[in-house]
C-alpha cells in the first residue's frame, strides 16, 4: 500500500541489486525470455480475427477458451489511434512528470483497490513479503456513477478524455466477446453478461521500470483476474506470460491486437468448462514496459453461480455460489498466489 516507494524511484537510482523485498523465492523466479520468436510458445496465443464469419469466430473462441483462456483479437473495431494515444499518454504520465506531481494522485493508504497512483496491491502486511516490480495507476471507469475524471491525471492534457473514450470502447468489446463466448458454449448470447450484470470496469495502467535483476523478480506475480473478462494492451517490450500445463508461455506483443483473458467469474459461470487464465509479468534490465488492462467485474452484491443451462444430473455444479464482494475480500486477504481463491470454491464432484 501507499507510503510505499514507487519502483521507478529505485530504478532511476541506478541500484545494481534489488532490495530483498522484491526477491522471489526460487520456485517463482522467471526463466530469461529470449527475444527470438522461435520458441514453441510463439504460436500458442491464437489471434482471432473478429471480422471473419461469426461461425468461424465462435469456433476459434471455443478452442482458445478450452486450451488457454487467453487469446488475441484483431479487427476488433477499437480505433488503433485511440489505443496508441492512450498508451502514449499513460507512458508520459509515468515518464515525463515530476514524482511530486504524480504523488498528488496517490492511492489512499490502507484501502484495497483504491483508485490512483500506487505500487503495492495488497493492504495486509502478511502478504507483502515479496513485492512486485511495478507501479500503476488504477482508474474507476464504469458504471458512470463511479467515473470521476478529476481523480485521474490532468497531465498530459489529453489523458482524461482518452481514458473515458477507451473505457466506452472496451465496454462494447467486452459485451461482444461475452456474447461470443456464451454462444461458443451453446448458451444464448446474453447468458454470461446477464449473470455478471452491469459492468464494474476498472482500467489499470501498469508501468514496469527496468529492473537490475530481472532473473530474481516479477513485475506482477502469478494470479488470475477476479472478475469476468479482462482486455489487455501492451507495448512492444513484452513481458506478459500465461500458464499452460504448468509452463509459462510468453505473450509476444502483436501490433493493434487486444489480448482477452478469461477471469474467475467466467470460470464459475461456465462451470469450469472454461478456466480463467493464470498469468504474470516479468521484467527486463533495459526497457520500461507499459500495459493497460481493462477489468470487467460484477457489482459487489451480485451472486455468481454456474449457469443453470450448463447443469444436469451428469454435469453437476463444480463451484459453490459466491457473492462477488465476498470473493474480492477473500482475494485481498489471501493474496493472488495463482488461483488459490477460486480453488477454495471448488466442490468435490
Ligand atoms: O502488465 C501485464 O501485462 C499484466 C497485468 C495484469 O495481469 C493485471 O493487472 O492484472
Ligand atoms: Fe491480471
Amino acid at each position: 500500500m501507499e507510503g510505499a516507494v514507487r519502483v521507478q524511484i529505485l530504478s532511476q537510482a541506478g541500484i545494481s541489486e534489488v532490495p530483498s523485498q522484491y526477491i522471489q523465492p526460487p520456485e517463482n523466479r522467471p526463466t530469461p525470455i529470449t527475444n527470438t520468436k522461435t520458441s514453441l510458445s510463439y504460436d500458442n496465443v491464437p489471434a482471432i480475427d473478429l471480422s471473419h464469419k461469426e461461425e468461424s469466430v465462435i469456433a476459434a473462441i471455443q478452442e482458445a477458451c478450452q486450451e488457454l483462456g487467453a487469446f488475441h483479437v484483431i479487427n476488433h473495431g477499437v480505433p488503433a489511434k485511440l489505443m496508441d494515444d492512450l498508451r502514449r499518454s499513460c507512458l508520459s504520465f509515468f515518464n515525463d512528470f515530476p514524482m511530486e506531481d504524480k504523488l498528488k494522485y496517490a492511492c489512499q493508504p490502507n484501502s484495497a483497490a483504491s483508485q490512483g497512483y500506487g505500487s503495492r496491491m495488497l493492504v495486509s502486511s502478511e502478504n507483502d513479503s515479496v513485492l512486485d516490480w511495478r507501479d500503476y495507476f488504477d482508474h474507476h471507469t464504469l458504471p458512470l456513477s463511479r467515473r470521476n475524471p478529476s481523480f485521474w491525471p490532468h497531465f498530459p492534457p489529453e489523458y482524461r478524455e482518452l481514458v473515458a473514450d477507451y473505457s466506452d470502447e472496451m465496454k462494447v468489446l467486452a459485451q461482444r466477446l461475452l456474447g461470443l463466448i456464451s454462444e461458443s458454449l451453446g448458451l444464448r448470447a446474453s447468458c454470461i453478461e446477464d449473470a455478471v450484470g452491469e459492468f464494474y470496469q476498472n482500467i489499470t495502467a501498469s508501468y514496469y521500470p527496468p529492473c537490475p535483476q530481472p532473473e530474481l523478480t516479477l513485475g506482477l506475480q502469478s494470479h488470475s483476474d477476479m472478475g469476468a473478462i479482462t482486455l489487455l494492451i501492451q507495448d512492444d517490450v513484452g513481458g506478459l506470460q500465461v500458464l499452460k500445463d504448468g509452463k509459462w508461455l510468453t505473450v509476444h506483443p502483436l501490433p493493434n491486437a487486444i489480448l482477452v483473458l478469461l477471469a474467475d467469474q467466467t470460470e464459475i459461470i461456465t462451470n469450469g468448462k472454461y478456466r480463467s487464465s493464470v498469468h504474470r509479468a516479468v521484467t527486463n534490465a533495459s526497457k520500461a514496459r507499459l500495459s493497460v488492462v481493462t477489468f470487467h467485474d460484477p457489482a459487489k452484491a451480485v451472486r455468481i453461480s454456474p449457469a443453470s443451462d450448463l447443469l444436469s444430473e451428469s454435469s453437476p455444479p463444480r463451484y459453490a455460489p459466491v457473492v462477488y464482494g465476498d470473493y474480492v475480500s477473500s482475494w485481498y486477504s489471501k493474496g493472488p498466489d495463482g488461483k488459490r481463491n477460486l480453488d477454495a470454491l471448488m466442490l468435490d464432484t
Side-chain angles (χ1 to χ4, degrees), residues 12-23:
Q12 286 171 346
I15 51 174
S16 58
E17 290 183 1
V18 297
S20 58
Q21 308 96 284
Y22 295 90
I23 299 182

Side-chain angles (χ1 to χ4, degrees), residues 68-332:
L68 202 56
F71 55 93
H72 277 126
V73 287
I74 55 174
N75 290 323
H76 39 60
V78 181
K81 177 170 172 4
L82 177 60
M83 293 163 56
D84 288 342
D85 289 350
L86 181 73
R87 274 186 287 242
R88 196 173 317 110
S89 284
C90 289
L91 190 62
S92 170
F93 168 81
F94 291 105
N95 268 345
D96 301 339
F97 296 92
M99 188 52 77
E100 190 191 338
D101 294 347
K102 293 189 282 194
L103 286 174
K104 294 193 181 121
Y105 292 101
C107 294
Q108 289 294 307
N110 310 319
S111 94
S114 88
Q115 177 162 231
Y117 178 45
S119 192
R120 282 161 86 159
M121 194 164 46
L122 298 170
V123 183
S124 140
S125 54
E126 189 194 328
N127 289 307
D128 276 346
S129 44
V130 184
L131 300 179
D132 295 321
W133 192 263
R134 173 182 82 137
D135 296 335
Y136 63 83
F137 201 108
D138 185 41
H139 315 75
H140 294 179
T141 44
L142 288 174
L144 285 176
S145 56
R146 292 170 78 231
R147 186 190 288 181
N148 182 348
S150 68
F151 290 124
W152 309 341
H154 67 283
F155 47 85
E158 64 283 8
Y159 190 107
R160 291 176 178 172
E161 199 182 333
L162 288 169
V163 172
D165 289 352
Y166 188 73
S167 155
D168 296 340
E169 291 281 351
M170 289 299 104
K171 177 183 175 180
V172 173
L173 181 59
Q175 286 172 321
R176 182 173 171 202
L177 287 163
L178 287 183
L180 293 165
I181 292 167
S182 298
E183 289 186 288
S184 75
L185 286 168
L187 299 166
R188 66 184 189 287
S190 65
C191 183
I192 299 178
E193 197 187 338
D194 289 347
V196 173
E198 184 173 34
F199 286 156
Y200 275 60
Q201 186 200 59
N202 283 7
I203 297 183
T204 304
S206 290
Y207 179 78
Y208 304 91
C211 177
Q213 292 178 300
E215 68 287 0
L216 299 181
T217 51
L218 286 172
L220 187 56
Q221 63 184 292
S222 164
H223 67 284
S224 55
D225 296 339
M226 286 181 271
I229 188 166
T230 301
L231 301 177
L232 183 151
I233 58 174
Q234 56 177 332
D235 59 18
D236 56 5
V237 176
L240 177 65
Q241 299 185 324
V242 294
L243 193 64
K244 160 89 175 145
D245 303 332
K247 289 209 174 80
W248 289 104
L249 307 182
T250 297
V251 180
H252 293 280
L254 186 64
N256 297 331
I258 296 175
L259 184 77
V260 181
L261 294 165
L262 299 188
D264 292 345
Q265 306 315 302
T266 295
E267 177 168 333
I268 299 174
I269 294 165
T270 65
N271 200 30
K273 293 213 165 6
Y274 293 162
R275 313 285 315 270
S276 58
S277 158
V278 175
H279 53 282
R280 69 180 187 183
V282 302
T283 60
N284 73 80
S286 58
K287 283 189 183 161
R289 169 172 179 261
L290 180 97
S291 70
V292 182
V293 182
T294 310
F295 303 99
H296 298 88
D297 302 350
K300 295 270 169 72
V302 170
R303 187 171 175 274
I304 298 290
S305 57
S308 55
D309 287 348
L310 292 173
L311 303 179
S312 66
E313 220 165 286
S314 59
S315 173
R318 298 173 62 200
Y319 300 80
V322 67
V323 174
Y324 185 63
D326 295 342
Y327 191 82
V328 173
S329 311
S330 150
W331 196 96
Y332 277 106

